[in-house]
Amino acid sequence: MSPVKTVHTVCSHDCPDSCAVLVTVDELGKATRVQGDPSHPITRGFLCAKVTKYLDRVYSPARLLFPMRRRPGAVKGNGHFGRESEAFEPITWDAALDLISQRLQLVSDEHGPEAILPYSYAGNMGVLGYGSMDRRFFHRLGASRLDRTICATAGGDALVSVYGKKLGTDPEHFRDARYIIAWAANIHGNNVHLWPFVQEARRKGAKLVVIDPYRTRTARAADWHLPIQPGTDAALALGMMHVIIRDGLHDQDYIDQNTHGFEALRNHVLSYTPACVAGLTGIAADEIETLAREYATSAPAVIRLNYGIQRSQNGGASARAVCMLPALIGAWKHQGGGLQLSTSGAFVFNSMALERPDLMMASPLERPARIVNMSRLGHALTELDAPPVKALFVYNSNPAAIAPNQNAVRRGLTRPDLFTVVHEQFFTDTTDYADIVLPATTFLEHKDFQGAYGHYFLQLSEQAIAPLGEAQSNVWLFSQLAKRMGFTESCFCDGVEDLMEQALGESADDLKTKGRIRQQHATEEFAAGLFATPSGKIEFYSSALAAQGLEPLPAFHAAEESRRGVKAQSFPLEFLPRKADNYMNSTFANLPGHQKMESPGLAMMHASDASARQIREGDWVEVFNARGRIRLRARIDGSVPTGVVAASLNWNKLSAGGSNVNALTSETLTDLGRGATFYSTLVEVRKLSPEEAQGGSASID
Ligand code: SF4
């Protein structure tokens, strides 16, 4: 027997913190404890409530432990929570790999390889688990390429358009700030390791301001909460610029030395007067004046911007405008000043070696395959042609729950001619549509390495325990499938160590020795005036965007689905489909311990909107639009401003009526980055009669 040991791992869930996690493993090889690693300078020895209970997930009796195939005659989409296995029968891995490879070959032969669509995102943030052998496999196959836009492309493209790279203020430096704006950032809820630095700054006198339509945990704890109307952030940022420039509070020296396009910006913001912006955002003109003046005169001032801002139709412009604020006041000069949206640009891996896009030339296509936007999966599965999608391979994601325009997605997934494979840890909303279900490892059960998008530490994640049952990692799965498909390239024989070396080059040994490497260079780039934009400066005006026919300066445009759009005549309320505080998107929603921490199934309404519809606290209501309808209980607790309804993401089969918030969201794309616009959604709400409230599952429209 091996002695008790402690293994260094990294939480691979989709979260900016990328926590260092210590796993205690007993003599029998069973993990007995997970805890934060106190030696990590940012995550400092504690885990969020979601992952503190992680062994409940790893050893859940509901874990998928062996491959399965759908039983003949079992109807897709009829998954009842806890009874999903009735639709499947166990098979061996050999049989599963044979079935999948034969079917993929058939699809490729009959329709061309682009009829195969991979669908994955950040259910696994490990570099190898997120994208390595899987990419090689699908490139060699000639499958459609997935444009991974569901979360962050509008904001990412915005940040890069202004600064050239996805870098930002070091989280440790937040303790030195005197003015902190959490802009669409629920730090206390889902970036929890930044919170102690914020509190340290506040103990030294810093002010915390939250700009968010929803009264989040962070907003409740802040010094000042500005409940902005959804999708109007560009207007507020431009209004702040108007005040700052009008009153001469900008840093002209910094602007002269480090920025491009200031004169164009100065003229551009003239029309964004506080009175005008107040009418757009719902924030009073005097508050806009105060915010702008305090922000510009309280150095060091820092903005923690998060991705909610960019999930609206005007989201790219909104993120660009907010990103420009620190440049206007020279905030980057001060330790503790600046902005953080993402730090992921600090982690540079050899993606060509890891993903091998060159293999597309060895596919039957002998050219790069078409690109399919994951934010339009419903369209891809129901309307895309030449060729239509005939095989869908899902891993690291749960699209039946998280993809917008859910009823179109579910219609597509129900197609009898669609062959669907899902590699998962649990039965989910998506496995309800699978032909083949494959068991996947958790981050305790495989080795990987990981960057972060909320700090600057590259970390090694060792394998702590043997895979549960017959669970397998993504690397293993796609390397085995490649062999089954007859791909003879030696890269399909690479193991985890090979992949690490190919991705990291000389740094691989360093990482293996140290376990954690700080990307020091990245924390210093902006402070040193190094910007990887075409002009080499911070770009207020972007010629590159202009060349693409996009607006070179960020402007406010009301979303089609907003209170200012024509559709508001039929559906007058703006809908916020929020992430649940105690789940990670759709992950953890099935676990009893996590369910106890969460209050799903609530429609947060403003008292005036509720009373206008004769709705009282606790009433069953239907939130609906032309795309779908969901059933919730009304909660009238001051969480949202007038004209806004909020509800949190849950699994469909755990939701009353059988549909979650994405039955209402659309496949409209953002102005930048082709991203999803979850927060540009209009709805109406009506009170349900007692009979309706007790009714069966909502139909798929
Ligand atoms: S979900 Fe985030 S905060 Fe929680 S343990 Fe994982 S990385 Fe840390």
Side-chain angles (χ1 to χ4, degrees):
M1 282 189 193
S2 325
V4 174
K5 61 181 180 180
T6 301
V7 182
H8 291 252
T9 65
V10 182
C11 174
S12 68
H13 290 281
D14 187 0
C15 169
D17 296 17
S18 285
C19 284
V21 181
L22 298 178
V23 182
T24 307
V25 182
D26 72 11
E27 305 86 348
L28 300 173
K30 183 169 183 185
T32 56
R33 187 178 185 199
V34 293
Q35 62 189 116
D37 180 348
S39 72
H40 192 289
I42 307 299
T43 64
R44 300 198 289 184
F46 71 98
L47 305 173
C48 66
K50 297 179 276 282
V51 173
T52 297
K53 301 182 201 327
Y54 207 68
L55 295 184
D56 291 355
R57 179 174 180 84
V58 174
Y59 293 113
S60 165
R63 271 291 296 276
L64 298 178
L65 298 177
F66 42 79
M68 283 168 276
R69 73 174 163 202
R70 183 166 291 277
R71 288 183 194 280
V75 178
K76 289 186 178 181
N78 272 2
H80 296 288
F81 186 67
R83 289 176 41 204
E84 295 94 336
S85 63
E86 293 171 10
F88 293 93
E89 58 192 11
I91 51 174
T92 64
W93 264 108
D94 273 343
L97 294 169
D98 282 344
L99 278 170
I100 295 166
S101 55
Q102 286 161 11
R103 188 66 181 260
L104 294 184
Q105 191 62 59
L106 195 65
V107 168
S108 178
D109 292 346
E110 289 185 356
H111 304 278
E114 288 168 308
I116 301 163
L117 179 67
Y119 194 96
S120 72
Y121 199 66
N124 180 345
M125 291 261 296
V127 172
L128 304 184
Y130 177 79
S132 60
M133 194 62 78
D134 55 315
R135 304 294 204 271
R136 294 179 180 184
F137 174 74
F138 289 114
H139 285 150
R140 176 64 181 80
L141 198 57
S144 289
R145 288 178 288 164
L146 189 71
D147 200 4
R148 291 177 169 81
T149 60
I150 198 105
C151 180
T153 44
D157 285 8
L159 184 61
V160 170
S161 77
V162 178
Y163 293 104
K165 253 190 187 180
K166 291 193 208 171
L167 299 177
T169 306
D170 191 320
E172 289 180 81
H173 292 172
F174 274 66
R175 58 158 64 101
D176 299 316
R178 282 186 56 224
Y179 202 80
I180 302 171
I181 299 179
W183 201 315
N186 182 11
I187 299 169
H188 196 286
N190 47 37
N191 181 198
V192 67
H193 293 88
L194 186 62
W195 187 249
F197 296 110
V198 170
Q199 289 296 77
E200 195 178 331
R202 294 176 83 191
R203 283 194 292 277
K204 293 188 285 183
K207 182 169 182 175
L208 174 64
V209 183
V210 170
I211 299 169
D212 199 312
Y214 190 84
R215 193 160 63 102
T216 60
R217 284 184 202 168
T218 312
R220 288 199 291 269
D223 300 296
W224 190 18
H225 173 210
L226 293 162
I228 189 171
Q229 290 175 8
T232 64
D233 306 82
L236 180 59
L238 293 162
M240 289 174 68
M241 292 186 207
H242 174 101
V243 174
I244 290 168
I245 297 172
R246 181 199 68 195
D247 294 353
L249 302 175
H250 55 291
D251 185 332
Q252 194 64 55
D253 281 350
Y254 185 84
I255 289 167
D256 290 345
Q257 287 175 32
N258 294 286
T259 73
H260 168 77
F262 175 66
E263 286 309 317
L265 181 74
R266 182 203 288 270
N267 293 329
H268 180 66
V269 302
L270 282 175
S271 59
Y272 289 91
T273 62
C276 162
V277 171
L280 298 174
T281 61
I283 296 174
D286 63 331
E287 291 187 307
I288 296 165
E289 297 262 3
T290 302
L291 176 68
R293 293 188 69 83
E294 287 185 353
Y295 171 68
T297 59
S298 308
V302 68
I303 299 173
R304 178 56 169 114
L305 177 63
N306 214 334
Y307 282 107
I309 192 177
Q310 47 96 70
R311 294 190 191 114
S312 60
Q313 203 175 355
N314 197 212
S318 293
R320 289 190 71 222
V322 176
C323 287
M324 290 173 186
L325 284 165
L328 200 61
I329 63 165
W332 298 106
K333 293 191 308 194
H334 311 286
Q335 177 157 311
L339 174 142
Q340 189 195 98
L341 172 61
S342 173
T343 59
S344 64
F347 305 96
V348 182
F349 310 121
N350 187 343
S351 60
M352 301 298 269
L354 204 53
E355 302 178 6
R356 296 291 306 272
D358 57 295
L359 289 168
M360 284 188 283
M361 302 311 289
S363 77
L365 295 174
E366 298 180 346
R367 61 167 170 81
R370 72 176 174 188
I371 295 173
V372 175
N373 189 333
M374 72 185 304
S375 297
R376 303 196 68 212
L377 180 63
H379 172 268
L381 295 181
T382 59
E383 295 182 47
L384 195 62
D385 211 343
V389 176
K390 292 285 187 177
L392 180 71
F393 204 124
V394 179
Y395 54 106
N396 299 348
S397 188
N398 182 10
I402 59 87
N405 197 13
Q406 178 181 104
N407 287 331
V409 173
R410 292 168 83 174
R411 269 200 309 276
L413 289 170
T414 313
R415 273 175 37 208
D417 62 325
L418 181 72
F419 175 67
T420 300
V421 181
V422 182
H423 189 216
E424 250 299 351
Q425 295 162 0
F426 292 91
F427 284 118
T428 63
D429 283 335
T430 306
T431 58
D432 288 345
Y433 297 87
D435 294 281
I436 305 279
V437 175
L438 304 172
T441 44
T442 66
F443 72 83
L444 269 58
E445 298 156 61
H446 56 242
K447 183 172 180 174
D448 210 325
F449 67 101
Q450 193 167 314
Y453 60 97
H455 62 68
Y456 288 105
F457 288 91
L458 177 67
Q459 299 177 84
L460 185 66
S461 186
E462 295 282 7
Q463 181 177 343
I465 58 173
L468 275 275
E470 298 175 20
Q472 292 288 357
S473 69
N474 291 347
V475 171
W476 183 91
L477 166 61
F478 289 104
S479 121
Q480 293 301 311
L481 268 179
K483 287 170 194 157
R484 283 296 202 290
M485 297 294 298
F487 301 160
T488 53
E489 289 83 357
S490 61
C491 68
F492 292 112
C493 298
D494 289 340
V496 167
E497 303 297 332
D498 305 306
L499 290 164
M500 275 184 64
E501 277 162 28
Q502 291 157 15
L504 290 169
E506 291 173 359
S507 305
D509 286 342
D510 205 19
L511 182 62
K512 284 181 205 162
T513 308
K514 295 177 179 160
R516 178 187 308 148
I517 302 174
R518 185 187 185 95
Q519 308 301 100
Q520 189 64 38
H521 65 95
T523 65
E524 293 161 357
E525 282 187 31
F526 288 0
L530 299 172
F531 304 104
T533 56
S535 65
K537 299 194 170 194
I538 302 170
E539 297 204 343
F540 293 129
Y541 183 96
S542 171
S543 302
L545 290 181
Q548 297 169 52
L550 300 170
E551 289 181 328
L553 289 158
F556 169 73
H557 300 289
E560 287 160 40
E561 293 205 30
S562 73
R563 65 187 72 196
R564 291 169 193 83
V566 288
K567 289 183 182 169
Q569 290 165 8
S570 308
F571 303 106
L573 299 171
E574 292 169 332
F575 185 54
L576 286 181
R578 302 184 62 242
K579 298 183 184 209
D581 285 341
N582 298 292
Y583 306 154
M584 178 62 66
N585 298 318
S586 81
T587 306
F588 299 113
N590 60 322
L591 298 176
H594 292 72
Q595 290 167 346
K596 277 188 200 137
M597 298 191 294
E598 192 59 41
S599 303
L602 298 175
M604 307 295 189
M605 298 187 73
H606 189 271
S608 62
D609 295 323
S611 70
R613 293 162 178 80
Q614 289 82 49
I615 293 167
R616 288 180 301 187
E617 174 79 18
D619 283 347
W620 279 102
V621 297
E622 182 176 77
V623 184
F624 64 99
N625 61 20
R627 289 178 291 274
R629 55 199 69 242
I630 60 175
R631 199 186 309 160
L632 303 163
R633 277 193 187 275
R635 170 64 57 85
I636 305 157
D637 66 352
S639 298
V640 292
T642 44
V644 178
V645 183
S648 60
L649 180 68
N650 195 5
W651 283 11
N652 297 318
K653 57 188 164 190
L654 294 171
S655 304
S659 293
N660 73 12
V661 292
N662 281 314
L664 305 171
T665 55
S666 80
E667 294 180 80
T668 301
L669 300 180
T670 49
D671 52 346
L672 207 60
R674 310 163 306 283
T677 56
F678 296 106
Y679 301 148
S680 292
T681 300
L682 283 173
V683 297
E684 178 55 289
V685 181
R686 72 178 181 94
K687 181 174 171 173
L688 292 175
S689 67
E691 298 74 37
E692 288 175 308
Q694 297 306 317
S697 295
S699 61
I700 296 177
D701 291 354

